[in-house]
Amino acid sequence: MAKLTRSTHPAPVFPEKILQFGTGVLLRGLPDYLVQKANAEGQFGGSIVVVKSTDSQTNEFSDQDNLYTVAVRGLQNGQAVSENTVVSAISRVLAAQTQWKEILMLARNPKLQIIISNTTEVGLDYVEESIFQHPPQSFPAKLTAFLYERFRSVGGSRAKGLIVIPTELVTDNGLKLRDAVEKLAQFNELGKLFTKWLKFHVRFCNSLVDRIVTRPTAEAQQKLQEEVGYEDDLLTFTEPYHLWAIEGDDRVRETLSFANANTPQIIIDEDINFYRERKLRVLNGTHSLTMPLGYLLGLETVADEMNHASMSKFVESLMLTEIVPTVPDYGIPGMDKAAVEQFAHDVLDRFRNPNLDHLLLNISLQETAKMQARNVATIQRYFEQFNAVPKHIALGFAAYLLFMKATREEKGQFFGEIAVNGGILTYPIRDDKAGYFYGDWKTVKPKDASTVQAFVKSVLSDQILWQTDLSSLPGFVEAVAQYLSEMLTTSVEKTLAKALA
Protein backbone atom coordinates (compact mmCIF):
# COMPACT_ATOMS: atom_id res chain seq x y z
CA MET A 1 0.00 0.00 0.00
CA ALA A 2 1.44 3.38 -1.05
CA LYS A 3 2.12 6.09 1.55
CA LEU A 4 0.13 9.33 1.39
CA THR A 5 2.25 11.97 -0.41
CA ARG A 6 1.76 14.81 -2.87
CA SER A 7 2.65 12.35 -5.63
CA THR A 8 -0.34 10.17 -4.82
CA HIS A 9 -2.51 13.14 -3.82
CA PRO A 10 -1.47 16.31 -5.70
CA ALA A 11 -2.40 19.49 -3.82
CA PRO A 12 -2.01 23.22 -4.48
CA VAL A 13 0.67 25.23 -2.68
CA PHE A 14 -0.35 28.52 -1.07
CA PRO A 15 1.62 31.42 0.44
CA GLU A 16 2.61 30.91 4.07
CA LYS A 17 0.19 33.04 6.10
CA ILE A 18 0.07 31.19 9.42
CA LEU A 19 2.79 30.24 11.89
CA GLN A 20 1.70 27.45 14.24
CA PHE A 21 3.46 26.41 17.44
CA GLY A 22 2.48 22.80 18.03
CA THR A 23 2.06 19.59 16.03
CA GLY A 24 -0.60 17.89 18.15
CA VAL A 25 -3.79 16.25 17.01
CA LEU A 26 -6.05 19.04 18.30
CA LEU A 27 -4.45 21.60 15.98
CA ARG A 28 -4.44 19.14 13.10
CA GLY A 29 -8.09 18.24 13.67
CA LEU A 30 -9.50 21.73 14.20
CA PRO A 31 -7.64 24.92 13.02
CA ASP A 32 -5.62 23.17 10.31
CA TYR A 33 -8.68 21.22 9.16
CA LEU A 34 -10.72 24.45 8.95
CA VAL A 35 -7.99 26.21 6.96
CA GLN A 36 -7.94 23.24 4.59
CA LYS A 37 -11.70 23.47 4.10
CA ALA A 38 -11.45 27.21 3.41
CA ASN A 39 -8.61 26.75 0.93
CA ALA A 40 -10.63 24.13 -0.92
CA GLU A 41 -13.47 26.64 -1.24
CA GLY A 42 -11.20 29.48 -2.34
CA GLN A 43 -11.82 31.43 0.89
CA PHE A 44 -8.32 31.83 2.37
CA GLY A 45 -5.49 30.83 0.04
CA GLY A 46 -2.87 30.36 2.73
CA SER A 47 -0.70 27.64 4.19
CA ILE A 48 0.66 26.91 7.66
CA VAL A 49 4.26 26.65 8.83
CA VAL A 50 4.43 24.46 11.92
CA VAL A 51 7.04 24.72 14.69
CA LYS A 52 7.82 21.57 16.64
CA SER A 53 9.31 22.33 20.05
CA THR A 54 9.46 18.95 21.75
CA ASP A 55 12.25 17.33 19.71
CA SER A 56 14.03 17.66 16.38
CA GLN A 57 12.29 14.80 14.56
CA THR A 58 9.94 16.01 11.83
CA ASN A 59 10.18 13.09 9.42
CA GLU A 60 6.68 11.84 10.26
CA PHE A 61 5.50 14.96 8.41
CA SER A 62 8.21 15.25 5.73
CA ASP A 63 7.86 11.58 4.76
CA GLN A 64 4.27 12.38 3.75
CA ASP A 65 4.99 15.79 2.20
CA ASN A 66 3.12 17.26 5.22
CA LEU A 67 -0.17 15.65 4.18
CA TYR A 68 -2.44 13.77 6.57
CA THR A 69 -6.01 12.54 6.76
CA VAL A 70 -8.71 13.70 9.15
CA ALA A 71 -11.30 10.93 9.59
CA VAL A 72 -14.58 12.26 10.99
CA ARG A 73 -16.83 9.64 12.57
CA GLY A 74 -19.82 9.94 14.87
CA LEU A 75 -23.33 11.26 15.25
CA GLN A 76 -24.74 14.66 14.39
CA ASN A 77 -28.41 15.41 15.01
CA GLY A 78 -28.87 11.68 15.49
CA GLN A 79 -27.44 10.86 12.04
CA ALA A 80 -24.24 8.91 11.41
CA VAL A 81 -21.40 10.95 9.89
CA SER A 82 -18.42 9.47 8.01
CA GLU A 83 -15.99 11.76 6.18
CA ASN A 84 -12.31 11.59 5.18
CA THR A 85 -10.41 14.78 4.35
CA VAL A 86 -6.81 14.91 3.14
CA VAL A 87 -5.31 18.05 4.70
CA SER A 88 -2.62 19.76 2.64
CA ALA A 89 -2.67 23.12 4.45
CA ILE A 90 0.71 22.55 6.17
CA SER A 91 3.59 23.69 3.96
CA ARG A 92 6.45 22.55 6.21
CA VAL A 93 7.34 21.57 9.77
CA LEU A 94 10.43 23.09 11.40
CA ALA A 95 12.15 21.88 14.57
CA ALA A 96 12.89 24.68 17.02
CA GLN A 97 15.89 22.82 18.41
CA THR A 98 17.75 22.62 15.08
CA GLN A 99 16.06 25.15 12.77
CA TRP A 100 15.57 28.20 14.98
CA LYS A 101 17.38 30.55 12.60
CA GLU A 102 15.07 29.43 9.79
CA ILE A 103 12.04 30.01 12.02
CA LEU A 104 13.18 33.56 12.79
CA MET A 105 13.59 34.18 9.05
CA LEU A 106 9.84 33.59 8.72
CA ALA A 107 9.29 36.78 10.71
CA ARG A 108 10.35 38.71 7.62
CA ASN A 109 7.64 37.14 5.47
CA PRO A 110 5.30 40.03 4.49
CA LYS A 111 2.40 37.63 3.89
CA LEU A 112 2.46 36.21 7.41
CA GLN A 113 -0.67 37.30 9.29
CA ILE A 114 -1.55 34.83 12.05
CA ILE A 115 0.15 32.90 14.84
CA ILE A 116 -1.63 29.92 16.46
CA SER A 117 -0.41 27.89 19.41
CA ASN A 118 -1.30 24.85 21.45
CA THR A 119 1.36 23.94 23.96
CA THR A 120 0.34 22.78 27.44
CA GLU A 121 -1.78 24.46 30.12
CA VAL A 122 1.42 25.62 31.86
CA GLY A 123 2.98 26.44 28.49
CA LEU A 124 1.67 30.01 28.69
CA ASP A 125 3.34 30.69 32.03
CA TYR A 126 5.94 33.45 32.24
CA VAL A 127 9.51 32.19 32.61
CA GLU A 128 12.28 34.74 33.11
CA GLU A 129 14.84 34.00 30.40
CA SER A 130 16.81 35.50 27.53
CA ILE A 131 14.98 35.49 24.22
CA PHE A 132 18.33 35.50 22.40
CA GLN A 133 19.00 31.83 23.04
CA HIS A 134 18.85 29.47 20.04
CA PRO A 135 16.11 28.64 20.79
CA PRO A 136 14.61 30.10 23.97
CA GLN A 137 13.15 27.42 26.24
CA SER A 138 9.57 28.49 26.97
CA PHE A 139 6.89 29.08 24.37
CA PRO A 140 6.27 32.74 25.42
CA ALA A 141 10.01 33.39 25.03
CA LYS A 142 10.06 31.78 21.58
CA LEU A 143 7.07 33.91 20.59
CA THR A 144 8.66 37.09 21.97
CA ALA A 145 11.85 36.39 20.03
CA PHE A 146 9.83 35.87 16.86
CA LEU A 147 7.78 39.04 17.37
CA TYR A 148 10.93 41.06 18.08
CA GLU A 149 12.48 39.80 14.86
CA ARG A 150 9.27 40.76 13.07
CA PHE A 151 9.40 44.23 14.59
CA ARG A 152 13.03 44.71 13.54
CA SER A 153 12.30 43.60 9.98
CA VAL A 154 9.19 45.74 9.41
CA GLY A 155 10.23 48.83 11.38
CA GLY A 156 7.15 48.93 13.56
CA SER A 157 4.72 48.92 10.61
CA ARG A 158 1.05 48.71 11.52
CA ALA A 159 0.35 46.84 8.31
CA LYS A 160 2.73 44.06 9.34
CA GLY A 161 1.20 43.49 12.76
CA LEU A 162 -0.01 39.99 13.61
CA ILE A 163 -3.01 38.21 15.08
CA VAL A 164 -1.97 35.77 17.86
CA ILE A 165 -4.48 33.06 18.83
CA PRO A 166 -3.51 30.63 21.59
CA THR A 167 -5.80 27.60 21.83
CA GLU A 168 -4.61 26.21 25.16
CA LEU A 169 -7.50 25.27 27.46
CA VAL A 170 -6.86 28.16 29.83
CA THR A 171 -9.32 30.94 30.67
CA ASP A 172 -8.30 34.22 28.99
CA ASN A 173 -5.44 32.44 27.22
CA GLY A 174 -4.78 35.42 24.93
CA LEU A 175 -4.48 37.87 27.81
CA LYS A 176 -2.24 35.47 29.72
CA LEU A 177 0.08 35.05 26.74
CA ARG A 178 0.20 38.81 26.13
CA ASP A 179 1.15 39.38 29.77
CA ALA A 180 4.02 36.86 29.51
CA VAL A 181 5.31 38.43 26.29
CA GLU A 182 5.19 41.95 27.75
CA LYS A 183 7.11 40.80 30.83
CA LEU A 184 9.73 39.13 28.64
CA ALA A 185 10.05 42.29 26.56
CA GLN A 186 10.73 44.25 29.73
CA PHE A 187 13.15 41.67 31.16
CA ASN A 188 15.09 41.55 27.88
CA GLU A 189 15.07 45.36 27.57
CA LEU A 190 13.62 45.31 24.04
CA GLY A 191 12.78 49.01 24.14
CA LYS A 192 9.78 51.33 24.16
CA LEU A 193 9.25 51.24 20.40
CA PHE A 194 8.87 47.46 20.41
CA THR A 195 6.54 47.66 23.40
CA LYS A 196 4.45 50.26 21.55
CA TRP A 197 4.28 48.12 18.37
CA LEU A 198 3.35 45.12 20.50
CA LYS A 199 0.56 47.04 22.21
CA PHE A 200 -1.05 48.59 19.15
CA HIS A 201 -0.30 46.25 16.24
CA VAL A 202 -0.14 42.71 17.67
CA ARG A 203 -3.58 41.46 18.67
CA PHE A 204 -3.72 38.63 21.23
CA CYS A 205 -7.11 36.90 21.05
CA ASN A 206 -8.67 34.80 23.77
CA SER A 207 -10.05 31.65 22.18
CA LEU A 208 -11.92 28.48 22.99
CA VAL A 209 -11.57 25.22 21.07
CA ASP A 210 -14.06 22.39 21.38
CA ARG A 211 -13.52 19.14 19.51
CA ILE A 212 -12.43 15.70 20.63
CA VAL A 213 -9.48 14.71 18.43
CA THR A 214 -7.47 11.53 18.92
CA ARG A 215 -4.98 9.23 17.30
CA PRO A 216 -6.81 6.07 16.20
CA THR A 217 -5.99 2.72 17.77
CA ALA A 218 -3.76 0.44 15.70
CA GLU A 219 -6.82 -1.61 14.74
CA ALA A 220 -8.84 1.47 13.73
CA GLN A 221 -5.89 2.88 11.77
CA GLN A 222 -5.45 -0.33 9.82
CA LYS A 223 -9.16 -0.39 8.99
CA LEU A 224 -9.17 3.25 7.88
CA GLN A 225 -6.05 2.80 5.75
CA GLU A 226 -7.69 -0.11 3.96
CA GLU A 227 -10.73 2.09 3.42
CA VAL A 228 -8.81 5.05 1.91
CA GLY A 229 -6.23 2.92 0.09
CA TYR A 230 -2.98 4.41 1.43
CA GLU A 231 -0.74 4.44 4.49
CA ASP A 232 -0.97 7.49 6.73
CA ASP A 233 1.14 7.60 9.89
CA LEU A 234 -0.47 10.94 10.82
CA LEU A 235 -4.04 9.76 10.45
CA THR A 236 -6.17 11.84 12.80
CA PHE A 237 -9.50 10.75 14.21
CA THR A 238 -12.22 13.16 15.31
CA GLU A 239 -15.91 13.74 15.93
CA PRO A 240 -18.32 15.73 13.70
CA TYR A 241 -18.89 18.50 16.25
CA HIS A 242 -16.40 21.35 16.28
CA LEU A 243 -16.29 24.90 17.56
CA TRP A 244 -13.59 27.58 17.57
CA ALA A 245 -14.67 30.74 19.39
CA ILE A 246 -12.26 33.66 19.01
CA GLU A 247 -12.44 36.98 20.81
CA GLY A 248 -11.88 39.63 18.17
CA ASP A 249 -13.00 42.71 16.26
CA ASP A 250 -13.34 43.68 12.59
CA ARG A 251 -9.58 43.52 12.07
CA VAL A 252 -9.56 39.92 13.31
CA ARG A 253 -12.54 39.04 11.10
CA GLU A 254 -10.86 40.52 8.05
CA THR A 255 -7.57 38.71 8.69
CA LEU A 256 -9.19 35.36 9.46
CA SER A 257 -10.84 35.14 6.07
CA PHE A 258 -11.24 31.37 6.54
CA ALA A 259 -14.02 32.30 8.99
CA ASN A 260 -17.11 33.41 7.09
CA ALA A 261 -20.82 32.77 6.64
CA ASN A 262 -20.03 29.22 5.47
CA THR A 263 -18.25 28.36 8.73
CA PRO A 264 -20.72 28.85 11.59
CA GLN A 265 -18.47 26.67 13.71
CA ILE A 266 -15.91 29.52 13.79
CA ILE A 267 -17.25 32.31 15.97
CA ILE A 268 -15.53 35.69 16.15
CA ASP A 269 -17.04 37.94 18.78
CA GLU A 270 -15.84 40.64 21.14
CA ASP A 271 -17.06 38.52 24.07
CA ILE A 272 -16.80 34.70 24.01
CA ASN A 273 -17.63 34.15 27.69
CA PHE A 274 -21.00 32.62 26.79
CA TYR A 275 -19.33 29.84 24.77
CA ARG A 276 -16.71 29.24 27.45
CA GLU A 277 -19.30 29.09 30.23
CA ARG A 278 -21.58 26.83 28.21
CA LYS A 279 -18.81 24.32 27.51
CA LEU A 280 -17.38 24.48 31.02
CA ARG A 281 -20.73 23.81 32.72
CA VAL A 282 -22.53 21.52 30.28
CA LEU A 283 -19.77 19.37 28.77
CA ASN A 284 -16.92 19.55 31.27
CA GLY A 285 -19.17 19.79 34.32
CA THR A 286 -21.15 16.72 33.27
CA HIS A 287 -17.92 14.78 32.73
CA SER A 288 -16.69 15.58 36.25
CA LEU A 289 -20.01 14.69 37.90
CA THR A 290 -20.55 11.44 35.99
CA MET A 291 -17.03 10.04 35.62
CA PRO A 292 -16.74 8.78 39.25
CA LEU A 293 -20.14 7.09 39.16
CA GLY A 294 -19.47 5.46 35.79
CA TYR A 295 -16.01 4.24 36.81
CA LEU A 296 -17.25 2.87 40.13
CA LEU A 297 -19.83 0.88 38.13
CA GLY A 298 -16.93 -0.76 36.29
CA LEU A 299 -17.33 1.20 33.03
CA GLU A 300 -14.27 2.31 31.05
CA THR A 301 -15.32 4.98 28.55
CA VAL A 302 -17.87 7.74 28.09
CA ALA A 303 -19.50 5.65 25.35
CA ASP A 304 -19.80 2.79 27.86
CA GLU A 305 -21.72 5.14 30.16
CA MET A 306 -24.13 5.99 27.35
CA ASN A 307 -24.66 2.28 26.60
CA HIS A 308 -25.49 1.54 30.25
CA ALA A 309 -29.24 1.95 30.73
CA SER A 310 -29.19 3.53 34.20
CA MET A 311 -26.03 5.56 33.67
CA SER A 312 -27.26 6.96 30.35
CA LYS A 313 -30.49 8.06 32.00
CA PHE A 314 -28.52 9.67 34.83
CA VAL A 315 -26.19 11.57 32.46
CA GLU A 316 -29.06 12.94 30.40
CA SER A 317 -31.21 13.90 33.37
CA LEU A 318 -28.32 15.53 35.22
CA MET A 319 -27.35 17.60 32.20
CA LEU A 320 -30.80 18.67 31.03
CA THR A 321 -32.59 19.21 34.35
CA GLU A 322 -29.89 20.40 36.75
CA ILE A 323 -27.03 21.90 34.72
CA VAL A 324 -28.62 23.47 31.63
CA PRO A 325 -31.14 25.60 33.62
CA THR A 326 -28.27 27.23 35.55
CA VAL A 327 -26.17 28.37 32.57
CA PRO A 328 -26.45 32.17 32.17
CA ASP A 329 -28.73 33.30 29.33
CA TYR A 330 -27.51 36.35 27.38
CA GLY A 331 -30.99 36.84 25.97
CA ILE A 332 -29.93 37.20 22.34
CA PRO A 333 -30.21 34.64 19.51
CA GLY A 334 -27.28 32.24 19.61
CA MET A 335 -26.54 33.14 23.23
CA ASP A 336 -29.86 32.24 24.81
CA LYS A 337 -31.36 29.27 26.63
CA ALA A 338 -32.28 27.61 23.32
CA ALA A 339 -28.60 27.70 22.31
CA VAL A 340 -27.61 26.11 25.62
CA GLU A 341 -30.21 23.36 25.20
CA GLN A 342 -29.11 22.67 21.61
CA PHE A 343 -25.51 22.47 22.77
CA ALA A 344 -26.54 19.99 25.47
CA HIS A 345 -28.21 17.71 22.91
CA ASP A 346 -25.10 18.00 20.71
CA VAL A 347 -22.98 16.97 23.70
CA LEU A 348 -25.18 13.93 24.34
CA ASP A 349 -24.67 12.90 20.70
CA ARG A 350 -20.92 13.32 21.22
CA PHE A 351 -20.96 11.22 24.38
CA ARG A 352 -22.73 8.45 22.45
CA ASN A 353 -20.07 8.37 19.72
CA PRO A 354 -18.90 4.73 19.65
CA ASN A 355 -15.83 5.64 17.60
CA LEU A 356 -14.09 7.63 20.35
CA ASP A 357 -12.29 5.84 23.20
CA HIS A 358 -12.71 8.63 25.77
CA LEU A 359 -11.41 6.90 28.90
CA LEU A 360 -13.07 7.77 32.20
CA LEU A 361 -9.77 7.33 34.02
CA ASN A 362 -8.24 10.05 31.83
CA ILE A 363 -11.10 12.38 32.75
CA SER A 364 -10.31 11.73 36.44
CA LEU A 365 -6.97 13.59 36.30
CA GLN A 366 -7.04 16.36 38.97
CA GLU A 367 -10.72 15.67 39.59
CA THR A 368 -10.92 17.87 42.69
CA ALA A 369 -9.68 21.00 40.90
CA LYS A 370 -12.02 20.24 38.00
CA MET A 371 -14.98 19.77 40.34
CA GLN A 372 -14.32 23.19 41.84
CA ALA A 373 -13.85 24.99 38.54
CA ARG A 374 -16.68 23.29 36.67
CA ASN A 375 -19.44 22.58 39.18
CA VAL A 376 -19.35 24.76 42.30
CA ALA A 377 -20.99 27.71 40.53
CA THR A 378 -23.59 25.35 39.04
CA ILE A 379 -24.48 24.03 42.51
CA GLN A 380 -24.80 27.54 43.91
CA ARG A 381 -26.90 28.74 40.99
CA TYR A 382 -29.24 25.75 41.31
CA PHE A 383 -29.94 26.55 44.95
CA GLU A 384 -30.50 30.22 44.09
CA GLN A 385 -32.94 29.40 41.29
CA PHE A 386 -34.86 26.47 42.76
CA ASN A 387 -34.25 26.66 46.51
CA ALA A 388 -33.78 22.89 46.49
CA VAL A 389 -31.06 20.26 46.48
CA PRO A 390 -29.96 19.17 42.97
CA LYS A 391 -30.29 15.44 43.61
CA HIS A 392 -28.32 14.17 40.63
CA ILE A 393 -25.47 16.55 41.41
CA ALA A 394 -25.54 15.36 45.03
CA LEU A 395 -25.21 11.75 43.86
CA GLY A 396 -22.43 12.65 41.45
CA PHE A 397 -20.61 14.47 44.25
CA ALA A 398 -21.03 11.50 46.61
CA ALA A 399 -19.58 9.20 43.93
CA TYR A 400 -16.63 11.60 43.57
CA LEU A 401 -15.94 11.32 47.31
CA LEU A 402 -16.06 7.53 47.06
CA PHE A 403 -13.78 7.55 44.00
CA MET A 404 -11.26 9.55 46.08
CA LYS A 405 -11.19 6.83 48.77
CA ALA A 406 -7.64 5.52 48.58
CA THR A 407 -6.97 2.09 50.06
CA ARG A 408 -3.18 2.30 49.91
CA GLU A 409 -0.22 4.56 49.23
CA GLU A 410 3.02 3.72 47.44
CA LYS A 411 5.81 6.30 47.23
CA GLY A 412 3.38 9.21 47.30
CA GLN A 413 0.97 7.64 44.77
CA PHE A 414 -2.49 6.76 46.02
CA PHE A 415 -4.69 3.90 44.78
CA GLY A 416 -8.36 3.07 45.10
CA GLU A 417 -10.17 -0.23 44.59
CA ILE A 418 -13.44 -1.31 43.00
CA ALA A 419 -15.04 -4.73 42.64
CA VAL A 420 -15.38 -5.71 38.96
CA ASN A 421 -16.57 -9.07 37.60
CA GLY A 422 -15.95 -10.85 40.88
CA GLY A 423 -12.44 -9.44 41.25
CA ILE A 424 -10.77 -6.31 42.59
CA LEU A 425 -9.53 -3.60 40.22
CA THR A 426 -6.93 -1.17 41.53
CA TYR A 427 -6.88 2.32 40.01
CA PRO A 428 -4.57 5.33 40.46
CA ILE A 429 -5.99 8.49 42.05
CA ARG A 430 -4.15 11.15 40.06
CA ASP A 431 -5.18 14.14 42.10
CA ASP A 432 -3.14 16.63 44.14
CA LYS A 433 -5.69 16.26 46.94
CA ALA A 434 -5.44 12.46 47.15
CA GLY A 435 -3.42 12.65 50.39
CA TYR A 436 -6.00 14.98 51.94
CA PHE A 437 -8.79 12.47 51.32
CA TYR A 438 -6.62 9.51 52.35
CA GLY A 439 -6.38 11.01 55.83
CA ASP A 440 -10.02 12.11 56.09
CA TRP A 441 -11.42 8.77 54.91
CA LYS A 442 -9.77 7.10 57.94
CA THR A 443 -12.38 8.81 60.11
CA VAL A 444 -15.24 7.08 58.29
CA LYS A 445 -16.90 3.87 59.47
CA PRO A 446 -18.98 2.71 56.47
CA LYS A 447 -21.86 1.38 58.59
CA ASP A 448 -21.93 4.41 60.89
CA ALA A 449 -23.97 7.11 59.12
CA SER A 450 -22.90 9.76 61.62
CA THR A 451 -19.21 9.36 60.67
CA VAL A 452 -20.12 9.53 56.98
CA GLN A 453 -22.07 12.75 57.51
CA ALA A 454 -19.27 14.27 59.60
CA PHE A 455 -16.80 13.45 56.81
CA VAL A 456 -19.05 14.97 54.13
CA LYS A 457 -19.62 18.11 56.22
CA SER A 458 -15.89 18.51 56.78
CA VAL A 459 -15.13 18.25 53.06
CA LEU A 460 -17.97 20.49 51.89
CA SER A 461 -17.10 23.20 54.42
CA ASP A 462 -13.45 23.35 53.29
CA GLN A 463 -13.18 26.76 51.68
CA ILE A 464 -9.63 26.08 50.47
CA LEU A 465 -10.98 23.26 48.27
CA TRP A 466 -14.11 24.97 46.98
CA GLN A 467 -13.45 28.70 47.55
CA THR A 468 -16.81 28.76 49.33
CA ASP A 469 -18.62 26.86 52.10
CA LEU A 470 -20.79 24.28 50.32
CA SER A 471 -22.00 22.93 53.64
CA SER A 472 -24.04 26.12 54.10
CA LEU A 473 -26.37 25.13 51.24
CA PRO A 474 -29.58 23.83 52.90
CA GLY A 475 -29.81 20.03 52.77
CA PHE A 476 -26.74 19.49 50.57
CA VAL A 477 -24.60 17.83 53.26
CA GLU A 478 -27.47 15.50 54.17
CA ALA A 479 -28.20 14.54 50.55
CA VAL A 480 -24.55 13.83 49.67
CA ALA A 481 -24.05 11.90 52.94
CA GLN A 482 -27.19 9.82 52.33
CA TYR A 483 -26.04 8.77 48.87
CA LEU A 484 -22.53 8.04 50.11
CA SER A 485 -23.86 5.89 52.97
CA GLU A 486 -26.04 3.92 50.56
CA MET A 487 -23.12 3.26 48.22
CA LEU A 488 -20.95 2.12 51.14
CA THR A 489 -23.57 -0.20 52.66
CA THR A 490 -25.37 -1.53 49.55
CA SER A 491 -23.74 -0.87 46.18
CA VAL A 492 -23.16 1.88 43.65
CA GLU A 493 -25.52 0.21 41.19
CA LYS A 494 -28.39 -0.11 43.69
CA THR A 495 -27.90 3.49 44.84
CA LEU A 496 -28.10 4.72 41.26
CA ALA A 497 -31.17 2.64 40.48
CA LYS A 498 -32.94 3.95 43.61
CA ALA A 499 -32.06 7.56 42.73
CA LEU A 500 -33.54 7.16 39.27
CA ALA A 501 -36.71 5.40 40.43
Side-chain angles (χ1 to χ4, degrees):
M1 188 181 295
K3 183 178 282 288
L4 174 65
T5 64
R6 291 181 186 263
S7 297
T8 60
H9 287 75
V13 177
F14 295 103
E16 294 174 340
K17 294 184 179 181
I18 300 175
L19 177 66
Q20 174 177 297
F21 287 88
T23 60
V25 292
L26 176 64
L27 291 173
R28 299 208 307 262
L30 188 56
D32 300 353
Y33 168 86
L34 290 169
V35 169
Q36 172 66 32
K37 291 286 191 179
N39 282 341
E41 296 169 3
Q43 297 293 327
F44 183 61
S47 66
I48 304 163
V49 182
V50 175
V51 175
K52 186 174 186 179
S53 297
T54 51
D55 58 55
S56 59
Q57 299 299 315
T58 61
N59 57 294
E60 61 180 349
F61 286 89
S62 59
D63 287 351
Q64 298 186 178
D65 296 333
N66 303 307
L67 303 184
Y68 65 93
T69 309
V70 172
V72 180
R73 299 290 187 277
L75 299 172
Q76 196 164 38
N77 297 323
Q79 300 297 312
V81 174
S82 179
E83 170 196 285
N84 300 319
T85 299
V86 174
V87 176
S88 60
I90 295 176
S91 59
R92 47 187 172 143
V93 178
L94 303 175
Q97 298 300 322
T98 57
Q99 296 173 287
W100 185 242
K101 186 175 180 180
E102 195 172 344
I103 291 166
L104 289 181
M105 286 292 291
L106 279 166
R108 304 179 183 183
N109 176 2
K111 293 187 180 296
L112 191 72
Q113 300 174 323
I114 304 160
I115 298 177
I116 299 172
S117 74
N118 190 276
T119 53
T120 62
E121 293 190 8
V122 297
L124 302 185
D125 290 347
Y126 169 68
V127 177
E128 197 171 87
E129 63 174 305
S130 169
I131 67 161
F132 300 106
Q133 303 172 75
H134 287 270
Q137 296 304 303
S138 69
F139 163 60
K142 289 183 177 73
L143 177 60
T144 305
F146 186 88
L147 292 173
Y148 186 59
E149 184 66 23
R150 177 77 166 185
F151 166 76
R152 291 174 59 202
S153 70
V154 301
S157 166
R158 178 173 185 246
K160 296 300 184 290
L162 296 167
I163 306 293
V164 180
I165 313 173
T167 64
E168 290 80 2
L169 297 176
V170 176
T171 300
D172 293 333
N173 45 21
L175 293 177
K176 185 172 184 179
L177 182 55
R178 170 184 277 282
D179 181 63
V181 170
E182 288 176 344
K183 287 178 179 176
L184 282 160
Q186 184 175 6
F187 176 74
N188 285 273
E189 300 179 345
L190 301 183
K192 292 182 179 179
L193 290 178
F194 173 69
T195 302
K196 182 179 178 181
W197 181 77
L198 196 63
K199 179 178 180 180
F200 292 105
H201 305 319
V202 179
R203 173 65 189 261
F204 289 77
C205 301
N206 295 326
S207 86
L208 171 73
V209 289
D210 187 5
R211 191 177 213 186
I212 298 172
V213 188
T214 65
R215 289 180 179 271
T217 62
E219 182 181 353
Q221 178 158 343
Q222 181 62 35
K223 182 179 178 181
L224 283 163
Q225 287 182 155
E226 290 173 359
E227 179 184 321
V228 297
Y230 53 77
E231 291 184 7
D232 183 355
D233 293 335
L234 293 169
L235 203 149
T236 303
F237 198 86
T238 190
E239 60 179 338
Y241 182 90
H242 52 295
L243 175 75
W244 190 11
I246 302 165
E247 215 160 70
D249 52 16
D250 289 340
R251 174 194 170 192
V252 174
R253 288 190 189 89
E254 182 179 346
T255 304
L256 305 185
S257 57
F258 55 81
N260 51 57
N262 296 324
T263 55
Q265 61 272 26
I266 308 177
I267 295 166
I268 300 175
D269 197 285
E270 292 182 359
D271 180 1
I272 63 170
N273 281 321
F274 170 80
Y275 305 101
R276 182 185 297 115
E277 184 76 4
R278 183 179 68 173
K279 177 179 183 286
L280 182 69
R281 306 302 169 192
V282 177
L283 190 155
N284 303 129
T286 299
H287 270 326
S288 294
L289 282 165
T290 58
M291 176 284 298
L293 196 59
Y295 194 79
L296 293 171
L297 285 169
L299 307 176
E300 292 186 38
T301 69
V302 175
D304 289 342
E305 288 186 331
M306 303 310 289
N307 286 326
H308 185 284
S310 296
M311 195 65 205
S312 177
K313 184 178 179 182
F314 175 77
V315 172
E316 187 167 340
S317 185
L318 165 76
M319 185 188 295
L320 297 179
T321 67
E322 294 185 1
I323 296 179
V324 166
T326 69
V327 178
D329 180 351
Y330 279 41
I332 57 177
M335 293 186 181
D336 54 11
K337 193 60 69 180
V340 178
E341 290 173 356
Q342 180 58 55
F343 179 74
H345 287 288
D346 289 339
V347 168
L348 290 170
D349 270 351
R350 297 165 71 183
F351 284 1
R352 295 185 183 103
N353 191 342
N355 301 285
L356 295 174
D357 292 319
H358 201 174
L359 296 173
L360 297 178
L361 206 54
N362 287 348
I363 294 172
S364 75
L365 183 66
Q366 301 299 354
E367 172 75 359
T368 301
K370 289 175 178 176
M371 187 68 77
Q372 190 283 322
R374 298 171 175 184
N375 295 308
V376 167
T378 299
I379 296 168
Q380 293 171 318
R381 290 169 183 168
Y382 190 92
F383 273 94
E384 289 169 4
Q385 287 180 233
F386 301 102
N387 194 30
V389 173
K391 294 184 178 179
H392 288 355
I393 291 178
L395 175 54
F397 202 97
Y400 148 70
L401 294 178
L402 185 54
F403 178 86
M404 294 297 294
K405 183 178 185 293
T407 56
R408 62 186 173 90
E409 176 195 4
E410 291 182 9
K411 298 178 181 179
Q413 172 67 67
F414 296 87
F415 298 88
E417 293 181 352
I418 55 172
V420 178
N421 298 325
I424 299 296
L425 174 67
T426 300
Y427 62 90
I429 302 175
R430 298 175 296 171
D431 191 307
D432 288 344
K433 300 300 180 182
Y436 168 98
F437 284 98
Y438 186 57
D440 273 21
W441 263 106
K442 291 180 179 179
T443 67
V444 177
K445 298 177 181 178
K447 294 183 179 181
D448 184 345
S450 65
T451 65
V452 175
Q453 182 155 328
F455 164 67
V456 171
K457 182 174 176 59
S458 173
V459 173
L460 288 177
S461 63
D462 192 325
Q463 297 189 46
I464 295 176
L465 285 184
W466 315 116
Q467 298 177 21
T468 188
D469 182 0
L470 290 175
S471 70
S472 66
L473 300 172
F476 195 53
V477 168
E478 291 77 10
V480 173
Q482 178 65 33
Y483 283 130
L484 185 55
S485 288
E486 289 178 13
M487 286 188 284
L488 288 168
T489 56
T490 58
S491 71
V492 175
E493 191 160 3
K494 289 180 179 178
T495 304
L496 175 59
K498 181 179 175 182
L500 293 174

